[in-house]
Amino acid sequence: MDLTHVDLHLGETLHRAGDTIEQVYFPESGFISVLTVLADGSPLEIGLIGAEGVVGASVVLGATASYSETMCQTGGGAHRMPAPALKHVLPQTPHFHDLLLRYVHVFLV
């Protein structure tokens, strides 16, 4: 897999709503907020992702654009993978694909 270790910084934005998901992140430490922007422009946290999760996991469902903004609530580390590389590896790793689908389900529930 095409993974790169990266440092995440407090306040860093990983994805913006509507933008193409270029990278998927697998956090090792720290917390990433999933935010939506209300009609008045104020942000609302709709989820929190830590070491159990994946930032940009909607790529697994075939999405190409982010439905939300993701922002680091703390510093930490993660492994980053280009979204096209993840899409390429999923058919070759059915167990990994299944785990990611289960994660998406749990996150949505």
Side-chain angles (χ1 to χ4, degrees), residues 42-88:
S42 59
L44 175 67
E45 185 173 55
I46 58 174
L48 190 63
I49 301 171
E52 81 295 337
V54 182
V55 180
S58 54
V59 166
V60 177
L61 302 175
T64 57
S66 181
Y67 68 91
S68 62
E69 182 168 317
T70 53
M71 183 191 67
C72 299
Q73 284 295 341
T74 65
H79 283 89
R80 180 177 66 197
M81 180 179 219
L86 179 62
K87 290 178 193 177
H88 176 75

Side-chain angles (χ1 to χ4, degrees), residues 6-14 31-32 71-77:
V6 294
D7 292 323
L8 302 175
H9 305 283
L10 173 65
E12 180 180 359
T13 298
L14 303 178
F31 294 100
I32 293 103
M71 183 191 67
C72 299
Q73 284 295 341
T74 65

Side-chain angles (χ1 to χ4, degrees), residues 16-42:
R16 294 203 185 279
D19 285 356
T20 300
I21 300 171
E22 303 281 345
Q23 304 284 334
V24 177
Y25 296 83
F26 299 88
E28 291 180 319
S29 59
F31 294 100
I32 293 103
S33 287
V34 181
L35 307 160
T36 191
V37 178
L38 301 176
D40 66 2
S42 59

